[in-house]
Short mmCIF file of all heavy atoms in Angstrom, two decimals:
data_model
loop_
_atom_site.label_atom_id
_atom_site.label_comp_id
_atom_site.label_asym_id
_atom_site.label_seq_id
_atom_site.Cartn_x
_atom_site.Cartn_y
_atom_site.Cartn_z
N THR V 460 -26.58 -139.41 -109.27
CA THR V 460 -27.62 -140.27 -109.72
C THR V 460 -28.01 -139.88 -111.23
O THR V 460 -28.36 -138.56 -111.28
CB THR V 460 -28.95 -140.36 -108.83
OG1 THR V 460 -28.54 -140.86 -107.56
CG2 THR V 460 -29.93 -141.27 -109.35
N PHE V 461 -27.99 -140.77 -112.16
CA PHE V 461 -28.39 -140.38 -113.45
C PHE V 461 -28.82 -141.48 -114.19
O PHE V 461 -28.52 -142.61 -113.96
CB PHE V 461 -27.10 -139.63 -114.16
CG PHE V 461 -25.75 -140.45 -114.17
CD1 PHE V 461 -25.54 -141.32 -115.10
CD2 PHE V 461 -24.98 -140.24 -113.02
CE1 PHE V 461 -24.32 -142.05 -115.11
CE2 PHE V 461 -23.79 -141.00 -112.99
CZ PHE V 461 -23.47 -141.89 -114.02
N SER V 462 -29.65 -141.12 -115.29
CA SER V 462 -30.03 -142.31 -116.19
C SER V 462 -28.91 -142.30 -117.34
O SER V 462 -28.28 -141.46 -117.71
CB SER V 462 -31.45 -141.88 -116.78
OG SER V 462 -31.37 -140.59 -117.45
N LEU V 463 -28.93 -143.54 -117.92
CA LEU V 463 -27.87 -143.75 -118.92
C LEU V 463 -28.02 -142.98 -120.25
O LEU V 463 -27.16 -142.92 -121.13
CB LEU V 463 -27.66 -145.29 -119.15
CG LEU V 463 -27.22 -146.11 -118.08
CD1 LEU V 463 -26.69 -147.45 -118.47
CD2 LEU V 463 -26.07 -145.49 -117.33
N ASP V 464 -29.23 -142.42 -120.43
CA ASP V 464 -29.43 -141.69 -121.67
C ASP V 464 -28.72 -140.33 -121.57
O ASP V 464 -28.54 -139.69 -122.65
CB ASP V 464 -30.95 -141.34 -121.90
CG ASP V 464 -31.57 -140.64 -120.82
OD1 ASP V 464 -30.85 -140.24 -119.86
OD2 ASP V 464 -32.84 -140.37 -120.89
N LYS V 465 -28.08 -139.96 -120.43
CA LYS V 465 -27.20 -138.80 -120.41
C LYS V 465 -25.77 -139.20 -120.83
O LYS V 465 -25.00 -138.22 -121.06
CB LYS V 465 -27.15 -138.30 -118.94
CG LYS V 465 -28.48 -137.71 -118.51
CD LYS V 465 -28.33 -137.07 -117.10
CE LYS V 465 -29.67 -136.48 -116.69
NZ LYS V 465 -29.93 -135.22 -117.46
N ILE V 466 -25.47 -140.45 -120.95
CA ILE V 466 -24.03 -140.74 -121.31
C ILE V 466 -23.77 -140.60 -122.80
O ILE V 466 -24.67 -140.95 -123.58
CB ILE V 466 -23.82 -142.23 -120.90
CG1 ILE V 466 -23.92 -142.45 -119.39
CG2 ILE V 466 -22.42 -142.76 -121.40
CD1 ILE V 466 -22.80 -141.69 -118.63
N LYS V 467 -22.68 -140.08 -123.12
CA LYS V 467 -22.39 -139.81 -124.48
C LYS V 467 -21.51 -140.90 -125.11
O LYS V 467 -20.48 -141.21 -124.68
CB LYS V 467 -21.58 -138.47 -124.58
CG LYS V 467 -21.35 -138.04 -126.05
CD LYS V 467 -20.69 -136.47 -126.03
CE LYS V 467 -20.56 -136.03 -127.38
NZ LYS V 467 -19.97 -134.65 -127.38
N GLY V 468 -22.02 -141.31 -126.32
CA GLY V 468 -21.21 -142.36 -127.00
C GLY V 468 -21.43 -143.75 -126.66
O GLY V 468 -21.52 -144.15 -125.45
N LYS V 469 -21.29 -144.71 -127.64
CA LYS V 469 -21.43 -146.10 -127.42
C LYS V 469 -20.28 -146.61 -126.47
O LYS V 469 -20.54 -147.50 -125.63
CB LYS V 469 -21.41 -146.94 -128.75
CG LYS V 469 -22.75 -146.99 -129.38
CD LYS V 469 -23.54 -148.08 -128.68
CE LYS V 469 -24.89 -148.23 -129.30
NZ LYS V 469 -25.68 -149.23 -128.62
N ARG V 470 -19.13 -146.08 -126.61
CA ARG V 470 -17.94 -146.62 -125.83
C ARG V 470 -18.14 -146.50 -124.35
O ARG V 470 -17.97 -147.29 -123.57
CB ARG V 470 -16.67 -145.99 -126.40
CG ARG V 470 -15.47 -146.42 -125.56
CD ARG V 470 -14.14 -145.79 -126.03
NE ARG V 470 -13.89 -146.16 -127.42
CZ ARG V 470 -12.80 -145.57 -128.16
NH1 ARG V 470 -12.04 -144.74 -127.53
NH2 ARG V 470 -12.59 -145.99 -129.39
N ASN V 471 -18.57 -145.23 -124.09
CA ASN V 471 -18.91 -144.95 -122.55
C ASN V 471 -20.10 -145.78 -122.15
O ASN V 471 -20.08 -146.20 -120.99
CB ASN V 471 -19.20 -143.44 -122.35
CG ASN V 471 -17.88 -142.63 -122.50
OD1 ASN V 471 -16.85 -142.99 -122.07
ND2 ASN V 471 -18.00 -141.37 -123.09
N LEU V 472 -21.04 -146.00 -122.91
CA LEU V 472 -22.36 -146.61 -122.55
C LEU V 472 -21.96 -148.05 -122.20
O LEU V 472 -22.49 -148.65 -121.33
CB LEU V 472 -23.44 -146.48 -123.64
CG LEU V 472 -24.80 -147.04 -123.34
CD1 LEU V 472 -25.43 -146.31 -122.16
CD2 LEU V 472 -25.65 -146.93 -124.49
N ASN V 473 -21.25 -148.69 -123.16
CA ASN V 473 -20.87 -150.08 -122.99
C ASN V 473 -20.08 -150.31 -121.67
O ASN V 473 -20.21 -151.49 -121.15
CB ASN V 473 -20.05 -150.60 -124.19
CG ASN V 473 -20.80 -150.65 -125.52
OD1 ASN V 473 -22.07 -150.80 -125.41
ND2 ASN V 473 -20.18 -150.62 -126.62
N LYS V 474 -19.39 -149.39 -121.15
CA LYS V 474 -18.75 -149.57 -119.81
C LYS V 474 -19.89 -149.80 -118.75
O LYS V 474 -19.48 -150.42 -117.70
CB LYS V 474 -17.83 -148.42 -119.56
CG LYS V 474 -16.66 -148.32 -120.37
CD LYS V 474 -15.73 -147.29 -119.92
CE LYS V 474 -14.38 -147.12 -120.81
NZ LYS V 474 -13.54 -146.13 -120.44
N PHE V 475 -20.96 -149.08 -118.87
CA PHE V 475 -21.98 -149.26 -117.86
C PHE V 475 -22.85 -150.50 -118.02
O PHE V 475 -23.11 -151.18 -117.10
CB PHE V 475 -22.89 -147.97 -117.79
CG PHE V 475 -22.30 -146.83 -117.22
CD1 PHE V 475 -21.62 -145.90 -117.99
CD2 PHE V 475 -22.49 -146.45 -115.90
CE1 PHE V 475 -20.95 -144.68 -117.40
CE2 PHE V 475 -21.92 -145.30 -115.34
CZ PHE V 475 -21.17 -144.50 -116.08
N VAL V 476 -23.34 -150.71 -119.32
CA VAL V 476 -24.23 -151.74 -119.53
C VAL V 476 -23.51 -153.08 -119.27
O VAL V 476 -22.37 -153.41 -119.71
CB VAL V 476 -24.64 -151.78 -121.06
CG1 VAL V 476 -25.60 -153.03 -121.28
CG2 VAL V 476 -25.51 -150.55 -121.35
N GLY V 477 -24.17 -153.95 -118.41
CA GLY V 477 -23.59 -155.17 -118.00
C GLY V 477 -22.79 -155.11 -116.64
O GLY V 477 -22.61 -156.18 -116.13
N ALA V 478 -22.46 -153.92 -116.22
CA ALA V 478 -21.78 -153.87 -114.94
C ALA V 478 -22.66 -154.11 -113.80
O ALA V 478 -23.99 -153.99 -113.94
CB ALA V 478 -21.27 -152.40 -114.80
N LYS V 479 -22.21 -154.59 -112.77
CA LYS V 479 -23.03 -155.03 -111.54
C LYS V 479 -22.84 -153.97 -110.46
O LYS V 479 -21.85 -153.28 -110.34
CB LYS V 479 -22.62 -156.42 -111.10
CG LYS V 479 -22.97 -157.54 -112.09
CD LYS V 479 -22.52 -158.91 -111.53
CE LYS V 479 -23.04 -160.04 -112.47
NZ LYS V 479 -22.76 -159.77 -113.90
N VAL V 480 -23.91 -154.06 -109.51
CA VAL V 480 -23.83 -153.14 -108.38
C VAL V 480 -22.58 -153.55 -107.59
O VAL V 480 -22.41 -154.73 -107.30
CB VAL V 480 -25.14 -153.39 -107.51
CG1 VAL V 480 -24.93 -152.57 -106.14
CG2 VAL V 480 -26.33 -152.79 -108.34
N GLY V 481 -21.86 -152.65 -107.11
CA GLY V 481 -20.53 -152.83 -106.42
C GLY V 481 -19.34 -152.71 -107.28
O GLY V 481 -18.21 -152.60 -106.78
N ASP V 482 -19.52 -152.69 -108.69
CA ASP V 482 -18.46 -152.63 -109.52
C ASP V 482 -17.95 -151.18 -109.53
O ASP V 482 -18.68 -150.23 -109.30
CB ASP V 482 -18.78 -153.01 -110.95
CG ASP V 482 -19.03 -154.56 -111.21
OD1 ASP V 482 -18.62 -155.20 -110.18
OD2 ASP V 482 -19.38 -154.91 -112.24
N THR V 483 -16.60 -150.97 -109.84
CA THR V 483 -16.01 -149.64 -110.00
C THR V 483 -15.59 -149.51 -111.48
O THR V 483 -14.78 -150.30 -111.95
CB THR V 483 -14.89 -149.45 -109.05
OG1 THR V 483 -15.34 -149.58 -107.64
CG2 THR V 483 -14.25 -148.05 -109.15
N LEU V 484 -15.96 -148.47 -112.12
CA LEU V 484 -15.72 -148.22 -113.56
C LEU V 484 -14.70 -147.09 -113.55
O LEU V 484 -14.64 -146.13 -112.76
CB LEU V 484 -16.96 -147.75 -114.32
CG LEU V 484 -18.18 -148.54 -114.22
CD1 LEU V 484 -19.33 -147.99 -114.97
CD2 LEU V 484 -17.90 -149.98 -114.63
N THR V 485 -13.75 -147.21 -114.57
CA THR V 485 -12.81 -146.11 -114.81
C THR V 485 -13.22 -145.34 -116.02
O THR V 485 -13.49 -146.00 -117.11
CB THR V 485 -11.40 -146.67 -114.96
OG1 THR V 485 -10.95 -147.43 -113.77
CG2 THR V 485 -10.44 -145.61 -115.29
N LEU V 486 -13.42 -143.98 -115.93
CA LEU V 486 -13.99 -143.23 -116.95
C LEU V 486 -13.17 -141.97 -117.19
O LEU V 486 -12.53 -141.37 -116.24
CB LEU V 486 -15.42 -142.75 -116.61
CG LEU V 486 -16.36 -143.90 -116.17
CD1 LEU V 486 -17.55 -143.28 -115.48
CD2 LEU V 486 -16.80 -144.69 -117.44
N LYS V 487 -13.15 -141.52 -118.46
CA LYS V 487 -12.60 -140.15 -118.93
C LYS V 487 -13.66 -139.22 -118.93
O LYS V 487 -14.86 -139.34 -119.40
CB LYS V 487 -11.91 -140.36 -120.27
CG LYS V 487 -10.77 -141.29 -120.39
CD LYS V 487 -9.52 -140.86 -119.69
CE LYS V 487 -8.78 -139.80 -120.54
NZ LYS V 487 -7.53 -139.47 -120.10
N THR V 488 -13.38 -138.02 -118.19
CA THR V 488 -14.43 -137.06 -118.15
C THR V 488 -14.75 -136.29 -119.47
O THR V 488 -15.86 -135.89 -119.73
CB THR V 488 -14.09 -135.87 -117.15
OG1 THR V 488 -12.75 -135.43 -117.61
CG2 THR V 488 -13.90 -136.42 -115.77
N LYS V 489 -13.73 -136.29 -120.33
CA LYS V 489 -13.95 -135.61 -121.66
C LYS V 489 -14.89 -136.43 -122.50
O LYS V 489 -14.76 -137.62 -122.74
CB LYS V 489 -12.62 -135.52 -122.38
CG LYS V 489 -12.80 -134.62 -123.73
CD LYS V 489 -11.39 -134.42 -124.30
CE LYS V 489 -11.39 -133.52 -125.43
NZ LYS V 489 -11.91 -132.07 -125.18
N SER V 490 -15.92 -135.74 -122.85
CA SER V 490 -17.08 -136.41 -123.60
C SER V 490 -17.78 -137.47 -122.94
O SER V 490 -18.27 -138.41 -123.63
CB SER V 490 -16.55 -136.84 -124.98
OG SER V 490 -16.04 -135.79 -125.72
N LEU V 491 -17.94 -137.46 -121.59
CA LEU V 491 -18.54 -138.51 -120.82
C LEU V 491 -20.16 -138.29 -120.96
O LEU V 491 -20.77 -139.18 -121.07
CB LEU V 491 -18.09 -138.44 -119.42
CG LEU V 491 -18.80 -139.43 -118.42
CD1 LEU V 491 -18.55 -140.92 -119.02
CD2 LEU V 491 -18.13 -139.36 -117.03
N PHE V 492 -20.56 -136.97 -120.87
CA PHE V 492 -21.94 -136.82 -120.80
C PHE V 492 -22.33 -135.89 -122.08
O PHE V 492 -21.55 -135.23 -122.72
CB PHE V 492 -22.45 -136.05 -119.58
CG PHE V 492 -22.30 -136.76 -118.30
CD1 PHE V 492 -21.27 -136.67 -117.47
CD2 PHE V 492 -23.31 -137.67 -117.95
CE1 PHE V 492 -21.22 -137.31 -116.30
CE2 PHE V 492 -23.25 -138.39 -116.80
CZ PHE V 492 -22.11 -138.26 -115.91
N ASN V 493 -23.56 -136.01 -122.41
CA ASN V 493 -24.02 -135.26 -123.69
C ASN V 493 -23.99 -133.83 -123.36
O ASN V 493 -23.73 -132.97 -124.32
CB ASN V 493 -25.51 -135.71 -124.02
CG ASN V 493 -25.56 -137.05 -124.55
OD1 ASN V 493 -24.81 -137.50 -125.40
ND2 ASN V 493 -26.55 -137.92 -124.07
N ASP V 494 -24.23 -133.40 -122.09
CA ASP V 494 -24.25 -132.02 -121.69
C ASP V 494 -23.11 -131.86 -120.70
O ASP V 494 -23.12 -132.50 -119.64
CB ASP V 494 -25.56 -131.65 -121.15
CG ASP V 494 -25.74 -130.21 -120.89
OD1 ASP V 494 -24.63 -129.49 -120.77
OD2 ASP V 494 -26.92 -129.79 -120.76
N ASP V 495 -22.16 -130.99 -121.02
CA ASP V 495 -21.12 -130.72 -119.94
C ASP V 495 -21.61 -130.19 -118.63
O ASP V 495 -20.95 -130.37 -117.63
CB ASP V 495 -20.07 -129.75 -120.54
CG ASP V 495 -19.12 -130.37 -121.60
OD1 ASP V 495 -19.02 -131.57 -121.56
OD2 ASP V 495 -18.44 -129.59 -122.40
N HIS V 496 -22.77 -129.54 -118.66
CA HIS V 496 -23.37 -129.09 -117.38
C HIS V 496 -23.66 -130.20 -116.48
O HIS V 496 -23.65 -130.08 -115.27
CB HIS V 496 -24.57 -128.21 -117.66
CG HIS V 496 -24.18 -126.86 -118.37
ND1 HIS V 496 -24.36 -126.77 -119.69
CD2 HIS V 496 -23.79 -125.72 -117.98
CE1 HIS V 496 -23.93 -125.58 -120.09
NE2 HIS V 496 -23.65 -124.92 -118.98
N ASP V 497 -23.94 -131.42 -116.98
CA ASP V 497 -24.15 -132.64 -116.12
C ASP V 497 -22.91 -132.93 -115.46
O ASP V 497 -22.85 -133.26 -114.20
CB ASP V 497 -24.66 -133.80 -116.92
CG ASP V 497 -26.15 -133.67 -117.28
OD1 ASP V 497 -26.91 -133.01 -116.61
OD2 ASP V 497 -26.56 -134.30 -118.41
N LEU V 498 -21.75 -132.85 -116.18
CA LEU V 498 -20.43 -133.16 -115.58
C LEU V 498 -20.23 -132.22 -114.43
O LEU V 498 -19.70 -132.50 -113.37
CB LEU V 498 -19.42 -133.08 -116.66
CG LEU V 498 -17.99 -133.61 -116.28
CD1 LEU V 498 -18.10 -135.08 -116.05
CD2 LEU V 498 -16.95 -133.22 -117.23
N MET V 499 -20.50 -130.86 -114.59
CA MET V 499 -20.34 -129.92 -113.69
C MET V 499 -21.18 -130.10 -112.37
O MET V 499 -20.65 -130.06 -111.28
CB MET V 499 -20.68 -128.53 -114.26
CG MET V 499 -20.64 -127.31 -113.32
SD MET V 499 -21.16 -125.79 -114.16
CE MET V 499 -22.98 -126.01 -114.13
N ASN V 500 -22.39 -130.62 -112.57
CA ASN V 500 -23.22 -130.77 -111.47
C ASN V 500 -22.96 -132.01 -110.73
O ASN V 500 -22.88 -132.02 -109.49
CB ASN V 500 -24.68 -130.89 -111.93
CG ASN V 500 -25.30 -129.62 -112.46
OD1 ASN V 500 -24.82 -128.54 -112.01
ND2 ASN V 500 -26.13 -129.59 -113.44
N PHE V 501 -22.51 -133.12 -111.42
CA PHE V 501 -22.15 -134.36 -110.79
C PHE V 501 -20.90 -134.32 -110.05
O PHE V 501 -20.60 -134.96 -108.95
CB PHE V 501 -22.25 -135.57 -111.66
CG PHE V 501 -23.69 -135.68 -112.37
CD1 PHE V 501 -23.83 -136.23 -113.64
CD2 PHE V 501 -24.83 -135.49 -111.60
CE1 PHE V 501 -25.02 -136.40 -114.25
CE2 PHE V 501 -26.04 -135.74 -112.05
CZ PHE V 501 -26.16 -136.17 -113.36
N LEU V 502 -19.88 -133.64 -110.69
CA LEU V 502 -18.54 -133.65 -110.08
C LEU V 502 -18.19 -132.52 -109.26
O LEU V 502 -17.14 -132.22 -108.72
CB LEU V 502 -17.50 -133.78 -111.18
CG LEU V 502 -17.02 -135.17 -111.65
CD1 LEU V 502 -18.21 -136.05 -112.18
CD2 LEU V 502 -15.91 -135.12 -112.57
N LYS V 503 -19.26 -131.46 -109.18
CA LYS V 503 -19.10 -130.18 -108.52
C LYS V 503 -17.92 -129.42 -108.96
O LYS V 503 -17.04 -128.94 -108.22
CB LYS V 503 -19.04 -130.46 -106.95
CG LYS V 503 -20.28 -131.06 -106.50
CD LYS V 503 -21.51 -130.24 -106.62
CE LYS V 503 -22.72 -130.99 -105.90
NZ LYS V 503 -23.21 -132.10 -106.59
#
Side-chain angles (χ1 to χ4, degrees):
T460 298
F461 52 89
S462 55
L463 293 196
D464 58 5
K465 291 182 177 292
I466 297 297
K467 185 174 184 177
K469 273 286 185 185
R470 181 178 296 179
N471 287 322
L472 186 61
N473 288 339
K474 290 185 178 182
F475 283 90
V476 175
K479 292 181 170 50
V480 172
D482 287 352
T483 298
L484 309 180
T485 300
L486 306 165
K487 298 283 285 185
T488 57
K489 190 172 180 62
S490 300
L491 177 57
F492 291 101
N493 292 313
D494 188 341
D495 281 340
H496 293 93
D497 285 332
L498 190 68
M499 179 181 74
N500 293 331
F501 296 145
L502 269 62
K503 301 295 186 286

